Amino acid sequence: SALAARYEIETGVYYRWRIKSDGREEYKLLAPELFRNSWIGQISIEDKEVKPLGLYAVEFDDEGEIDVWFLPIRPGTYRFYVEGLENQGFEGAFDVR
């Protein structure tokens, strides 16, 4: 099946991924392979910063946004998806060059 979203990015470039929720439904966005193959610089949640060692997923219980600042370190294609909603188009991939 075709992925709903596909992004081409490069190793060695620092990116901000802004993930938003309208608050209508709780959800968990997973990108374990991308996060495992990237250096996670910080995560910002409502003007609060977290400096993690690693990351597996982000989860929303209410409306809001989370910024994940990351630097991909290994080329590859890395899928991301909302747990349980992949069949409704809540998935995509980062093609890291």
XYZ file of all heavy atoms in Angstrom:
809
model
N 0.839 -1.200 0.000
C 0.000 0.000 0.000
C 0.872 1.247 0.000
O 1.941 1.254 0.590
C -0.933 0.002 1.205
O -0.205 0.225 2.389
N 0.421 2.294 -0.644
C 1.175 3.543 -0.695
C 1.108 4.237 0.664
O 0.073 4.240 1.327
C 0.590 4.447 -1.771
N 2.218 4.799 1.057
C 2.260 5.510 2.327
C 1.607 6.875 2.164
O 1.687 7.504 1.103
C 3.704 5.668 2.798
C 4.424 4.353 3.099
C 5.897 4.616 3.384
C 3.785 3.659 4.283
N 0.963 7.341 3.224
C 0.254 8.623 3.182
C 1.224 9.791 3.036
O 0.900 10.784 2.404
C -0.585 8.784 4.440
N 2.399 9.688 3.614
C 3.368 10.776 3.567
C 4.767 10.191 3.426
O 5.081 9.173 4.034
C 3.278 11.605 4.839
N 5.582 10.843 2.608
C 6.956 10.374 2.421
C 7.841 11.617 2.344
O 7.512 12.567 1.627
C 7.053 9.556 1.154
C 8.373 8.879 0.991
C 8.293 7.752 -0.040
N 9.155 6.708 0.437
C 8.794 5.462 0.658
N 7.568 5.081 0.445
N 9.656 4.592 1.092
N 8.922 11.607 3.103
C 9.813 12.761 3.173
C 11.238 12.322 2.877
O 11.693 11.318 3.411
C 9.761 13.399 4.571
C 8.367 13.786 4.981
C 7.610 12.966 5.804
C 7.798 14.965 4.520
C 6.317 13.310 6.167
C 6.498 15.316 4.878
C 5.777 14.484 5.706
O 4.501 14.822 6.060
N 11.940 13.099 2.044
C 13.345 12.846 1.784
C 14.164 13.801 2.625
O 13.969 15.022 2.565
C 13.655 13.034 0.299
C 13.090 11.916 -0.544
C 13.672 11.896 -1.948
O 14.727 12.519 -2.188
O 13.054 11.234 -2.795
N 15.062 13.242 3.420
C 15.927 14.043 4.285
C 17.353 13.499 4.165
O 17.580 12.465 3.535
C 15.431 14.042 5.750
C 15.385 12.621 6.334
C 14.049 14.707 5.839
C 14.989 12.584 7.807
N 18.319 14.192 4.759
C 19.719 13.833 4.611
C 20.379 13.565 5.958
O 20.032 14.200 6.959
C 20.484 14.975 3.933
C 19.996 15.302 2.546
C 20.739 16.488 1.950
O 21.894 16.743 2.339
O 20.151 17.173 1.099
N 21.352 12.664 5.947
C 22.157 12.454 7.147
C 22.948 13.731 7.413
O 23.259 14.492 6.499
C 23.137 11.268 6.986
O 23.982 11.529 5.863
C 22.416 9.962 6.812
N 23.255 13.965 8.665
C 24.080 15.103 9.039
C 23.369 16.441 9.032
O 23.996 17.466 9.246
N 22.068 16.458 8.781
C 21.288 17.704 8.793
C 20.330 17.645 9.981
O 19.698 16.623 10.224
C 20.504 17.885 7.473
C 19.649 19.139 7.521
C 21.456 17.910 6.278
N 20.249 18.746 10.733
C 19.406 18.817 11.933
C 17.994 19.223 11.519
O 17.813 20.231 10.834
C 20.024 19.855 12.869
C 19.615 19.779 14.312
C 19.548 18.578 15.001
C 19.316 20.943 15.012
C 19.198 18.527 16.333
C 18.975 20.911 16.352
C 18.911 19.696 17.006
O 18.569 19.659 18.330
N 16.993 18.435 11.912
C 15.600 18.676 11.540
C 14.721 18.877 12.763
O 14.995 18.328 13.828
C 15.030 17.475 10.760
C 15.669 17.272 9.417
C 16.746 16.409 9.260
C 15.184 17.952 8.303
C 17.336 16.222 8.016
C 15.768 17.768 7.053
C 16.844 16.910 6.928
O 17.422 16.728 5.702
N 13.630 19.640 12.558
C 12.567 19.726 13.562
C 11.343 19.058 12.953
O 10.890 19.441 11.875
C 12.213 21.169 13.892
C 11.058 21.221 14.928
C 10.564 22.612 15.173
N 9.835 23.064 13.991
C 9.444 24.315 13.800
N 9.716 25.246 14.674
N 8.786 24.641 12.705
N 10.798 18.058 13.653
C 9.576 17.383 13.227
C 8.479 17.820 14.183
O 8.486 17.460 15.357
C 9.775 15.874 13.278
C 8.635 15.054 12.757
C 7.527 15.481 12.100
C 8.500 13.636 12.861
N 6.717 14.427 11.783
C 7.289 13.274 12.236
C 9.293 12.629 13.422
C 6.854 11.970 12.171
C 8.857 11.326 13.348
C 7.648 11.003 12.719
N 7.529 18.634 13.704
C 6.420 19.110 14.536
C 5.254 18.151 14.375
O 4.734 17.967 13.286
C 6.015 20.518 14.142
C 4.807 21.004 14.949
C 4.669 22.491 14.912
N 5.681 23.069 15.791
C 6.010 24.351 15.787
N 5.439 25.184 14.956
N 6.919 24.801 16.624
N 4.855 17.528 15.473
C 3.771 16.548 15.488
C 2.616 17.168 16.262
O 2.800 17.625 17.386
C 4.253 15.231 16.146
C 5.511 14.727 15.428
C 3.147 14.189 16.131
C 6.308 13.723 16.223
N 1.432 17.190 15.656
C 0.282 17.865 16.265
C -0.872 16.905 16.489
O -1.021 15.932 15.762
C -0.205 19.002 15.364
C 0.779 20.126 15.188
C 0.174 21.222 14.357
C 1.148 22.378 14.201
N 0.521 23.519 13.526
N -1.691 17.238 17.478
C -2.931 16.508 17.743
C -4.052 17.511 17.928
O -3.867 18.536 18.589
C -2.790 15.658 19.003
O -4.047 15.121 19.376
N -5.218 17.201 17.359
C -6.383 18.073 17.559
C -7.131 17.721 18.838
O -8.122 18.351 19.183
C -7.321 18.033 16.353
C -7.857 16.640 16.073
O -7.724 15.736 16.926
O -8.415 16.446 14.976
N -6.681 16.679 19.536
C -7.277 16.311 20.818
C -8.541 15.484 20.733
O -9.112 15.120 21.750
N -9.002 15.168 19.523
C -10.239 14.387 19.402
C -10.059 12.938 19.814
O -11.020 12.281 20.187
C -10.775 14.453 17.974
C -11.424 15.780 17.661
C -12.089 15.738 16.331
N -11.077 16.072 15.327
C -11.328 16.228 14.046
N -12.530 16.041 13.571
N -10.374 16.553 13.215
N -8.834 12.447 19.707
C -8.584 11.040 19.993
C -7.174 10.887 20.544
O -6.244 11.544 20.091
C -8.709 10.244 18.682
C -8.668 8.764 18.841
C -8.968 8.057 17.521
O -9.635 8.633 16.653
O -8.517 6.917 17.390
N -7.014 10.034 21.549
C -5.674 9.725 22.039
C -4.941 8.950 20.956
O -5.536 8.119 20.275
C -5.732 8.849 23.290
C -6.148 9.582 24.534
C -6.059 8.684 25.774
O -5.202 7.778 25.808
O -6.862 8.901 26.682
N -3.654 9.233 20.787
C -2.891 8.418 19.847
C -1.422 8.405 20.187
O -0.918 9.294 20.852
C -3.137 8.834 18.398
C -2.441 10.097 17.926
C -1.109 10.057 17.501
C -3.110 11.303 17.849
C -0.473 11.191 17.041
C -2.486 12.442 17.380
C -1.165 12.379 16.972
O -0.547 13.509 16.511
N -0.758 7.370 19.701
C 0.677 7.201 19.886
C 1.320 7.099 18.519
O 0.956 6.241 17.720
C 0.968 5.931 20.684
C 2.459 5.747 20.978
C 2.785 4.380 21.565
C 2.090 4.153 22.877
N 2.501 2.881 23.501
N 2.261 8.001 18.235
C 3.001 7.967 16.981
C 4.337 7.291 17.226
O 5.081 7.692 18.116
C 3.220 9.371 16.443
C 3.929 9.385 15.090
C 3.177 10.253 14.110
C 5.351 9.820 15.223
N 4.615 6.263 16.458
C 5.850 5.507 16.603
C 6.740 5.698 15.385
O 6.244 5.700 14.257
C 5.556 4.016 16.772
C 4.859 3.642 18.076
C 3.378 3.539 17.858
C 5.412 2.366 18.624
N 8.030 5.837 15.634
C 9.046 5.906 14.578
C 10.329 5.297 15.134
O 11.378 5.932 15.152
C 9.259 7.338 14.131
N 10.247 4.062 15.654
C 11.382 3.496 16.387
C 12.663 3.363 15.567
O 13.751 3.643 16.082
C 10.878 2.137 16.861
C 9.694 1.821 16.005
C 9.113 3.142 15.600
N 12.554 3.004 14.295
C 13.770 2.843 13.475
C 14.415 4.196 13.175
O 15.639 4.325 13.215
C 13.445 2.103 12.174
C 12.938 0.684 12.384
C 13.978 -0.220 13.028
O 15.176 -0.097 12.706
O 13.584 -1.050 13.865
N 13.600 5.199 12.857
C 14.139 6.537 12.618
C 14.828 7.053 13.876
O 15.954 7.549 13.824
C 13.026 7.511 12.207
C 13.487 8.969 12.045
C 14.386 9.128 10.828
C 12.299 9.901 11.973
N 14.156 6.928 15.013
C 14.727 7.441 16.250
C 15.987 6.687 16.648
O 16.945 7.273 17.143
C 13.692 7.402 17.377
C 12.513 8.318 17.148
C 11.252 7.965 17.602
C 12.651 9.517 16.484
C 10.160 8.804 17.403
C 11.564 10.370 16.276
C 10.314 10.009 16.746
N 16.031 5.392 16.389
C 17.206 4.585 16.739
C 18.398 4.942 15.847
O 19.544 4.800 16.242
C 16.872 3.097 16.620
C 17.901 2.186 17.207
C 17.498 0.724 17.320
N 16.415 0.251 16.488
C 15.178 -0.016 16.932
N 14.851 0.160 18.184
N 14.258 -0.471 16.103
N 18.125 5.442 14.650
C 19.180 5.776 13.698
C 19.390 7.278 13.563
O 19.890 7.755 12.543
C 18.868 5.147 12.338
C 19.033 3.644 12.386
O 20.153 3.149 12.426
N 17.932 2.914 12.421
N 19.003 8.010 14.610
C 19.186 9.460 14.649
C 19.713 9.870 16.015
O 19.488 9.189 17.009
C 17.852 10.200 14.422
O 17.313 9.916 13.159
N 20.392 11.011 16.032
C 20.748 11.645 17.298
C 19.579 12.563 17.633
O 19.199 13.404 16.817
C 22.043 12.434 17.153
C 22.385 13.211 18.375
C 22.886 12.725 19.541
C 22.225 14.619 18.561
N 23.041 13.744 20.436
C 22.641 14.917 19.868
C 21.762 15.647 17.748
C 22.624 16.201 20.379
C 21.727 16.932 18.257
C 22.163 17.193 19.565
N 18.964 12.358 18.808
C 17.822 13.175 19.229
C 18.369 14.338 20.052
O 18.883 14.143 21.151
C 16.811 12.354 20.068
C 16.392 11.080 19.347
C 15.607 13.222 20.438
C 15.643 11.281 18.058
N 18.289 15.548 19.510
C 18.833 16.712 20.186
C 17.964 17.169 21.336
O 18.439 17.418 22.438
N 16.669 17.272 21.095
C 15.733 17.656 22.147
C 14.316 17.404 21.692
O 14.052 17.226 20.517
C 15.897 19.117 22.563
C 15.353 20.115 21.562
C 15.514 21.556 22.028
O 16.409 21.877 22.787
N 14.652 22.430 21.560
N 13.416 17.403 22.673
C 11.984 17.310 22.433
C 11.365 18.495 23.149
O 11.666 18.734 24.322
C 11.412 15.988 22.987
C 12.102 14.812 22.304
C 9.904 15.921 22.789
C 11.879 13.498 23.001
N 10.531 19.263 22.450
C 9.873 20.422 23.054
C 8.381 20.143 23.162
O 7.744 19.774 22.181
C 10.061 21.675 22.190
O 11.416 21.972 22.051
N 7.851 20.334 24.376
C 6.429 20.155 24.633
C 5.957 21.403 25.370
O 6.379 21.649 26.498
C 6.163 18.893 25.490
C 6.795 17.667 24.833
C 4.677 18.706 25.731
C 6.895 16.461 25.742
N 5.121 22.205 24.704
C 4.585 23.428 25.304
C 5.681 24.274 25.954
O 5.615 24.599 27.135
C 3.487 23.082 26.303
C 2.289 22.425 25.650
C 1.222 22.024 26.646
O 1.367 22.331 27.847
O 0.244 21.393 26.221
N 6.703 24.625 25.184
C 7.816 25.468 25.627
C 8.657 24.857 26.741
O 9.411 25.559 27.406
C 7.322 26.867 26.049
C 6.664 27.593 24.896
O 7.171 27.488 23.759
O 5.634 28.246 25.126
N 8.526 23.557 26.948
C 9.392 22.846 27.893
C 10.249 21.905 27.071
O 9.766 21.259 26.153
C 8.569 22.080 28.925
C 7.759 22.994 29.822
C 6.725 22.198 30.585
C 5.765 23.087 31.306
N 4.844 23.812 30.433
N 11.544 21.835 27.400
C 12.461 21.021 26.611
C 12.905 19.788 27.387
O 13.139 19.850 28.582
C 13.685 21.841 26.221
C 13.358 23.007 25.321
C 14.556 23.871 25.010
O 15.680 23.557 25.464
O 14.376 24.882 24.308
N 13.014 18.698 26.657
C 13.519 17.441 27.208
C 14.749 17.079 26.381
O 14.708 17.154 25.148
C 12.455 16.321 27.094
C 13.001 15.008 27.609
C 11.184 16.715 27.812
N 15.838 16.694 27.039
C 17.062 16.264 26.355
C 17.213 14.759 26.574
O 17.795 14.319 27.548
C 18.285 16.991 26.917
C 18.149 18.498 27.010
C 18.215 19.159 25.671
C 18.243 20.666 25.858
N 18.175 21.424 24.676
N 16.652 13.951 25.673
C 16.625 12.506 25.901
C 17.885 11.808 25.408
O 18.604 12.321 24.551
C 15.426 12.056 25.068
C 15.463 12.983 23.898
C 15.937 14.310 24.457
N 18.108 10.612 25.925
C 19.165 9.746 25.406
C 18.659 9.020 24.167
O 19.401 8.732 23.248
C 19.588 8.744 26.490
C 20.683 7.764 26.105
C 21.949 8.516 25.696
C 20.973 6.828 27.247
N 17.367 8.718 24.114
C 16.762 8.043 22.975
C 15.272 8.291 22.984
O 14.745 8.931 23.887
N 14.586 7.781 21.971
C 13.157 8.009 21.856
C 12.543 6.838 21.109
O 13.145 6.310 20.180
C 12.916 9.321 21.089
C 11.482 9.784 20.881
C 10.774 10.035 22.199
C 11.463 11.049 20.041
N 11.351 6.432 21.507
C 10.644 5.339 20.852
C 9.351 5.830 20.213
O 9.036 5.468 19.094
C 10.353 4.229 21.870
C 9.601 3.061 21.290
C 10.225 2.156 20.452
C 8.252 2.877 21.563
C 9.535 1.086 19.900
C 7.553 1.814 21.026
C 8.203 0.920 20.201
O 7.505 -0.130 19.651
N 8.595 6.664 20.945
C 7.292 7.120 20.467
C 6.923 8.407 21.196
O 7.494 8.739 22.229
C 6.225 6.055 20.744
N 5.948 9.132 20.639
C 5.325 10.254 21.343
C 3.834 9.963 21.403
O 3.274 9.383 20.487
C 5.601 11.620 20.669
C 7.077 11.952 20.717
C 5.089 11.680 19.251
N 3.229 10.346 22.519
C 1.818 10.017 22.714
C 1.055 11.263 23.140
O 1.540 12.055 23.947
C 1.690 8.935 23.791
C 0.296 8.397 23.944
C 0.252 7.110 24.767
O 1.309 6.523 25.044
O -0.855 6.714 25.142
N -0.141 11.428 22.578
C -1.009 12.548 22.904
C -2.249 12.040 23.617
O -2.893 11.103 23.152
C -1.469 13.264 21.627
C -0.398 14.040 20.926
C 0.396 13.444 19.964
C -0.192 15.375 21.223
C 1.372 14.156 19.298
C 0.787 16.102 20.564
C 1.573 15.488 19.602
N -2.595 12.678 24.744
C -3.862 12.430 25.420
C -4.832 13.578 25.154
O -6.037 13.423 25.273
C -3.658 12.276 26.928
C -2.859 11.031 27.267
O -2.908 10.053 26.484
O -2.177 11.030 28.302
N -4.291 14.760 24.836
C -5.070 15.961 24.599
C -4.499 16.713 23.406
O -3.443 16.357 22.890
C -5.033 16.885 25.827
C -5.697 16.259 27.045
O -6.863 15.848 26.925
O -5.043 16.186 28.092
N -5.162 17.806 23.034
C -4.688 18.665 21.954
C -3.314 19.227 22.292
O -3.020 19.512 23.457
C -5.682 19.813 21.753
C -5.311 20.756 20.645
C -6.335 21.870 20.479
O -7.303 21.934 21.248
O -6.142 22.680 19.564
N -2.482 19.393 21.288
C -1.173 19.999 21.520
C -0.209 19.655 20.414
O -0.584 19.072 19.396
N 1.041 20.052 20.624
C 2.070 19.731 19.653
C 3.370 19.403 20.357
O 3.643 19.894 21.449
C 2.260 20.841 18.623
C 2.677 22.161 19.190
C 2.684 23.257 18.118
O 1.776 23.297 17.276
O 3.613 24.071 18.152
N 4.138 18.562 19.702
C 5.435 18.136 20.203
C 6.424 18.336 19.065
O 6.169 17.911 17.933
C 5.414 16.653 20.633
C 4.453 16.452 21.805
C 6.824 16.174 20.993
C 4.239 14.996 22.196
N 7.539 19.001 19.343
C 8.616 19.154 18.370
C 9.729 18.188 18.741
O 10.203 18.187 19.882
C 9.185 20.575 18.385
C 8.243 21.599 17.781
O 7.344 21.201 17.025
O 8.421 22.797 18.063
N 10.146 17.380 17.773
C 11.281 16.484 17.965
C 12.405 17.015 17.075
O 12.248 17.111 15.865
C 10.934 15.031 17.573
C 12.151 14.132 17.722
C 9.773 14.507 18.406
N 13.523 17.399 17.690
C 14.699 17.887 16.969
C 15.651 16.710 16.833
O 16.073 16.134 17.830
C 15.352 19.021 17.733
C 14.479 20.228 17.876
C 13.521 20.445 18.820
C 14.466 21.377 17.037
N 12.916 21.664 18.612
C 13.476 22.252 17.528
C 15.206 21.742 15.910
C 13.214 23.470 16.940
C 14.940 22.969 15.329
C 13.952 23.822 15.838
N 15.981 16.344 15.582
C 16.805 15.153 15.393
C 17.757 15.318 14.211
O 17.542 16.136 13.324
C 15.920 13.921 15.189
C 15.160 13.895 13.879
C 15.607 13.133 12.817
C 13.999 14.637 13.723
C 14.915 13.115 11.617
C 13.296 14.621 12.522
C 13.758 13.851 11.454
N 18.814 14.532 14.243
C 19.814 14.527 13.194
C 20.006 13.080 12.747
O 20.513 12.263 13.520
C 21.133 15.102 13.740
C 22.248 15.277 12.731
C 22.914 16.628 12.941
C 23.288 14.196 12.884
N 19.548 12.723 11.545
C 19.703 11.346 11.078
C 21.185 11.012 10.891
O 21.941 11.820 10.353
C 18.986 11.320 9.727
C 18.204 12.582 9.642
C 18.842 13.557 10.558
N 21.587 9.826 11.347
C 22.994 9.442 11.246
C 23.232 8.247 10.332
O 24.374 7.979 9.974
C 23.604 9.174 12.645
C 22.797 8.126 13.398
C 23.711 10.461 13.437
C 23.379 7.727 14.743
N 22.175 7.529 9.938
C 22.325 6.391 9.029
C 21.297 6.469 7.905
O 20.120 6.660 8.162
C 22.111 5.072 9.777
C 23.279 4.689 10.628
C 23.097 3.287 11.224
N 23.993 3.134 12.344
C 23.696 3.401 13.612
N 22.494 3.822 13.932
N 24.582 3.237 14.558
N 21.747 6.295 6.648
C 20.804 6.265 5.528
C 19.864 5.066 5.627
O 20.222 4.038 6.213
C 21.706 6.135 4.295
C 23.073 6.509 4.748
C 23.132 6.179 6.200
N 18.692 5.201 5.052
C 17.722 4.114 5.024
C 16.327 4.675 4.871
O 16.128 5.883 4.815
N 15.350 3.787 4.800
C 13.943 4.182 4.766
C 13.331 3.795 6.100
O 13.396 2.633 6.501
C 13.208 3.499 3.598
O 13.792 3.955 2.377
C 11.723 3.857 3.611
N 12.791 4.776 6.801
C 12.285 4.577 8.155
C 10.805 4.949 8.224
O 10.425 6.092 7.991
C 13.092 5.415 9.150
C 14.567 5.103 9.083
C 15.478 6.036 8.621
C 15.035 3.850 9.468
C 16.833 5.752 8.555
C 16.390 3.553 9.399
C 17.279 4.504 8.948
O 18.619 4.203 8.880
N 9.994 3.978 8.560
C 8.552 4.136 8.622
C 8.138 4.801 9.930
O 8.757 4.596 10.969
C 7.943 2.721 8.517
C 6.475 2.689 8.369
C 6.026 1.237 8.080
N 4.621 1.122 8.348
C 4.112 0.523 9.419
N 4.879 -0.075 10.291
N 2.811 0.488 9.589
N 7.066 5.588 9.876
C 6.427 6.085 11.097
C 4.937 5.829 10.948
O 4.414 5.728 9.845
C 6.727 7.574 11.344
C 6.212 8.508 10.286
C 4.936 9.049 10.383
C 7.000 8.865 9.206
C 4.458 9.916 9.415
C 6.533 9.743 8.227
C 5.258 10.268 8.339
N 4.248 5.690 12.081
C 2.820 5.365 12.021
C 2.164 5.653 13.359
O 2.822 5.724 14.396
C 2.612 3.892 11.654
C 3.275 2.918 12.599
C 2.556 2.339 13.638
C 4.619 2.602 12.472
C 3.170 1.459 14.522
C 5.240 1.726 13.344
C 4.506 1.156 14.365
O 5.119 0.298 15.249
N 0.842 5.837 13.307
C 0.049 5.973 14.520
C -0.465 4.582 14.859
O -1.122 3.928 14.045
C -1.116 6.968 14.341
C -2.023 6.957 15.563
C -0.574 8.362 14.081
N -0.133 4.140 16.053
C -0.469 2.784 16.491
C -1.971 2.517 16.362
O -2.786 3.269 16.869
C -0.024 2.618 17.945
C -0.123 1.218 18.482
C 0.457 1.128 19.880
O -0.110 1.762 20.801
O 1.471 0.447 20.046
N -2.309 1.468 15.598
C -3.694 1.064 15.418
C -4.442 1.773 14.307
O -5.565 1.408 13.982
N -3.835 2.800 13.719
C -4.519 3.572 12.677
C -3.780 3.529 11.336
O -4.086 4.310 10.432
C -4.702 5.032 13.116
C -5.552 5.256 14.366
C -5.593 6.736 14.723
C -6.957 4.715 14.172
N -2.840 2.614 11.200
C -2.055 2.526 9.974
C -2.954 2.303 8.756
O -2.739 2.896 7.698
C -1.037 1.385 10.042
C -0.076 1.485 11.202
C -0.514 0.674 12.412
O -1.706 0.732 12.800
O 0.327 -0.018 12.982
N -3.979 1.471 8.891
C -4.862 1.150 7.765
C -5.747 2.320 7.350
O -6.393 2.269 6.304
C -5.734 -0.068 8.094
C -4.905 -1.322 8.262
O -3.790 -1.417 7.737
N -5.426 -2.283 8.995
N -5.805 3.361 8.172
C -6.595 4.551 7.839
C -5.707 5.661 7.268
O -6.129 6.801 7.157
C -7.336 5.043 9.078
C -8.357 4.036 9.603
C -8.986 4.512 10.897
O -9.240 5.687 11.077
N -9.245 3.577 11.804
N -4.477 5.318 6.940
C -3.576 6.292 6.313
C -2.694 7.062 7.258
O -2.015 7.994 6.835
N -2.679 6.703 8.524
C -1.850 7.411 9.494
C -0.472 6.757 9.554
O -0.092 6.140 10.554
C -2.516 7.436 10.876
C -3.749 8.284 10.913
C -4.991 7.755 10.620
C -3.661 9.637 11.223
C -6.135 8.529 10.642
C -4.810 10.422 11.250
C -6.042 9.872 10.955
N 0.257 6.880 8.445
C 1.589 6.313 8.360
C 2.365 7.038 7.279
O 1.796 7.760 6.470
C 1.526 4.816 8.037
C 0.919 4.526 6.672
C 0.919 3.059 6.319
O 1.544 2.264 7.027
O 0.306 2.706 5.308
N 3.654 6.850 7.293
C 4.509 7.465 6.292
C 5.911 6.942 6.451
O 6.151 5.972 7.177
N 6.851 7.593 5.774
C 8.257 7.172 5.851
C 9.167 8.348 5.609
O 8.819 9.294 4.909
C 8.533 6.070 4.832
N 10.335 8.261 6.215
C 11.440 9.176 5.933
C 12.465 8.394 5.128
O 12.905 7.326 5.555
C 12.091 9.678 7.225
C 11.274 10.705 7.951
C 10.420 10.349 8.967
C 11.384 12.050 7.615
C 9.662 11.298 9.647
C 10.641 13.015 8.291
C 9.768 12.624 9.306
N 12.815 8.910 3.951
C 13.890 8.340 3.154
C 15.131 9.163 3.467
O 15.216 10.337 3.075
C 13.572 8.415 1.659
C 12.418 7.526 1.271
O 12.375 6.364 1.744
O 11.538 7.969 0.503
N 16.057 8.570 4.193
C 17.254 9.268 4.623
C 18.384 8.948 3.644
O 18.703 7.778 3.425
C 17.654 8.862 6.056
C 18.921 9.614 6.479
C 16.525 9.133 7.034
N 18.943 9.951 3.045
C 20.048 9.797 2.078
C 21.379 10.146 2.711
O 21.463 10.998 3.531
C 19.838 10.719 0.870
C 18.511 10.528 0.208
C 18.517 9.300 -0.689
N 17.192 9.001 -1.177
C 16.573 7.839 -0.940
N 17.125 6.901 -0.255
N 15.366 7.621 -1.426
